[in-house]
Amino acid sequence: MAPSHLARSAKPLSGRYLSFAEREEIALLRVKGLAVREVARRLGRAPSTISRELRRNAATRGGNLDYRATTAQWHAERAARRPKVARLAANPALRCYVQERLARLVSRTSGETMTGPAVRWRKRRHGRRQHRRWGRAWSPQQIAERLKLDHPDDGAMRISHEAVYQALYIQGRGALKRELTQCLRTGRALRVPRARAPGRGKSFVTPEVLIAERPAEAEDRAVPGHWEGDLILGLNRSAIGTLVERTTRLTMLLHLPPMEGHGTVLRERGGPALAGHGAEAVRDAITRTITTLPVQLRRSLTWDQGSEMAQHVQLRVDTELQVYFCDPHSPWQRGTNENTNGLLRQYFPKGTDLSEWSADDLSAVAATLNGRPRKTLGWRTPAEALDAVLRSVQDGVATTG
């Protein structure tokens, strides 16, 4: 079927497409001997757009790459016709290569296939998902890049990873079976629209408190007192707060017990989070914990943009602690805290109820973690590193006095 934007009743083309008048102008300027960049400058287009147009839509019947407006328009209209036959549907060898590497199973040395555990998705978050299949499945990008090594001289054995994803998600492509979505690491059978991502920013995060405004001394870890924080979550909306000092790697855990009525009473609209890790509960827990330290060790706190830090202004007033927020979807900006959370999962595994641990239990785990030697500290423990910092602070105060 002909593209709708070429119909007589269609609206004028958007700036994305070259019009017939522009193609006529390109042909005239090329006859005058103007270079590609000069043509692009006069038309207000990118040089790559003009170069691509001359390469794709040139008149080749005479044996030369002459450019004529009418021929170029005919090439553009023909290329815009839909639907097109997918490359995987038209190339059986390429389709078999992709399917085999998507669905390849794990085998023992004897050749016997291993089925693996049954992993079922319990929710439909971020689109419908298939139950996971345990296998040696390659990702679409791995398949696309490996084709260049396995078939270096065969141009027909090429495909982009995006084309593989479309063949899985869009069944009208007529190439890959829907069941192969089980082999994807996400198990997702639908693509999450990118339009959902914008608008998720938190109103309490302003440019003045973003991580870019954090002092340089926090980045190089030369001065102690700069902290990173986060929540680790468990079953039944349970949570434990974590605070990690960037220089000494000292860890402090926040006890966040569920409030009365959690799980039995419907939460009041606008009221506190009954799960125990709402903004007020987290603010109070940080205040109780961090104020046990000297003022010299309370310089800044970096957190992600979670709603549990909505009362960061009051926290700054109560603790004299400057609060900064990471950029959205940037956990590496709190790398020390992310690493520590991974260590804490040894004591608080995923899929367990974290509300069963008391404040004394959390203190014991924190003391255990702070007593483990760290390679980054020269095999000293965080407790020993903190003790050295406190001694230097006391010596500095005594010298000043």
Side-chain angles (χ1 to χ4, degrees):
M1 55 185 298
S4 59
H5 66 268
L6 296 179
R8 294 183 178 180
S9 59
K11 297 180 181 180
L13 288 174
S14 66
R16 177 182 177 185
Y17 302 99
L18 288 173
S19 64
F20 182 65
E22 287 179 308
R23 290 190 168 95
E24 288 181 323
E25 188 70 16
I26 293 174
L28 292 174
L29 294 176
R30 291 295 289 175
V31 168
K32 294 180 180 180
L34 271 67
V36 170
R37 290 189 176 275
E38 180 61 21
V39 174
R41 188 185 65 80
R42 295 196 179 190
L43 267 66
R45 293 281 187 172
S48 59
T49 301
I50 305 302
S51 176
R52 190 184 307 112
E53 173 68 17
L54 294 174
R55 184 176 67 254
R56 289 182 176 178
N57 298 331
T60 59
R61 178 166 295 183
N64 300 319
L65 294 178
D66 299 327
Y67 186 83
R68 300 184 181 90
T70 53
T71 305
Q73 186 71 15
W74 177 79
H75 279 302
E77 292 179 2
R78 185 187 62 174
R81 293 181 181 275
R82 296 293 185 272
K84 287 185 176 181
V85 179
R87 174 170 292 191
L88 286 173
N91 190 335
L94 179 61
R95 183 172 64 251
C96 290
Y97 183 96
V98 173
Q99 288 185 154
E100 286 178 1
R101 281 149 185 81
L102 275 177
R104 183 176 292 178
L105 299 177
V106 177
S107 301
R108 295 187 176 92
T109 55
S110 60
E112 181 184 359
T113 300
M114 300 175 61
T115 57
V119 181
R120 298 183 177 275
W121 298 107
R122 298 181 180 180
K123 299 182 180 179
R124 292 181 59 184
R125 184 183 179 187
H126 301 319
R128 186 171 67 252
R129 298 190 183 197
Q130 301 289 337
H131 297 322
R132 290 290 300 276
R133 180 187 297 176
W134 201 48
R136 208 157 38 121
W138 291 13
S139 70
Q141 187 176 20
Q142 290 171 336
I143 294 173
E145 297 300 327
R146 185 67 189 186
L147 274 167
K148 301 174 185 178
L149 300 179
D150 293 345
H151 302 276
D153 301 324
D154 190 355
M157 295 294 287
R158 297 288 186 274
I159 194 170
S160 66
H161 63 276
E162 175 62 24
V164 177
Y165 279 117
Q166 288 192 13
L168 291 172
Y169 293 147
I170 306 174
Q171 289 306 289
R173 306 294 290 180
L176 300 179
K177 297 179 181 180
R178 186 78 165 197
E179 291 77 12
L180 289 176
T181 56
Q182 296 176 349
C183 301
L184 296 177
R185 292 178 185 140
T186 61
R188 190 175 295 128
L190 294 176
R191 171 165 284 168
V192 178
R194 291 187 177 181
R196 294 184 188 176
R200 287 183 178 176
K202 304 299 189 297
S203 59
F204 58 83
V205 179
T206 58
E208 293 79 13
V209 295
L210 287 177
I211 193 171
E213 301 299 324
R214 191 174 66 176
E217 65 180 25
E219 185 67 25
D220 58 16
R221 306 176 189 267
V223 179
H226 298 281
W227 298 77
E228 296 177 2
D230 194 18
L231 298 180
I232 56 175
L233 303 179
L235 289 182
N236 302 323
R237 299 182 59 83
S238 58
I240 294 174
T242 63
L243 296 176
V244 185
E245 205 279 315
R246 285 177 54 83
T247 301
T248 64
R249 274 63 172 188
L250 183 80
T251 302
M252 304 179 76
L253 300 182
L254 309 178
H255 186 225
L256 301 171
M259 301 178 65
E260 184 179 356
H262 173 59
T264 59
V265 179
L266 185 64
R267 178 193 173 192
E268 180 183 354
R269 183 177 180 83
L274 299 180
H277 50 88
E280 294 183 5
V282 171
R283 181 203 67 197
D284 294 340
I286 295 176
T287 302
R288 287 194 307 267
T289 304
I290 207 73
T291 51
T292 60
L293 299 172
V295 178
Q296 293 87 347
L297 295 181
R298 288 184 270 146
R299 301 179 186 273
S300 74
L301 172 63
T302 304
W303 207 279
D304 60 14
Q305 296 192 19
S307 58
E308 66 272 7
M309 288 296 289
Q311 297 193 11
H312 66 92
V313 176
Q314 185 61 41
L315 175 65
R316 185 169 64 249
V317 174
D318 296 340
T319 62
E320 302 180 12
L321 190 69
Q322 296 296 322
V323 181
Y324 299 97
F325 292 93
C326 298
D327 297 324
H329 314 296
S330 304
W332 57 87
Q333 295 177 346
R334 303 174 6 267
T336 303
N337 185 243
E338 289 290 319
N339 178 266
T340 303
N341 288 347
L343 299 178
L344 285 170
R345 284 299 186 184
Q346 177 181 351
Y347 307 98
F348 309 113
K350 292 183 178 181
T352 60
D353 191 350
L354 303 181
S355 62
E356 65 183 21
W357 305 105
S358 65
D360 292 338
D361 296 332
L362 299 186
S363 298
V365 171
T368 301
L369 194 62
N370 292 330
R372 289 171 59 171
R374 303 290 184 89
K375 180 179 180 180
T376 188
L377 298 176
W379 302 112
R380 292 184 302 163
T381 67
E384 292 171 343
L386 177 67
D387 184 66
V389 168
L390 293 177
R391 289 178 181 275
S392 63
V393 170
Q394 292 176 355
D395 293 343
V397 172
T399 303
T400 303

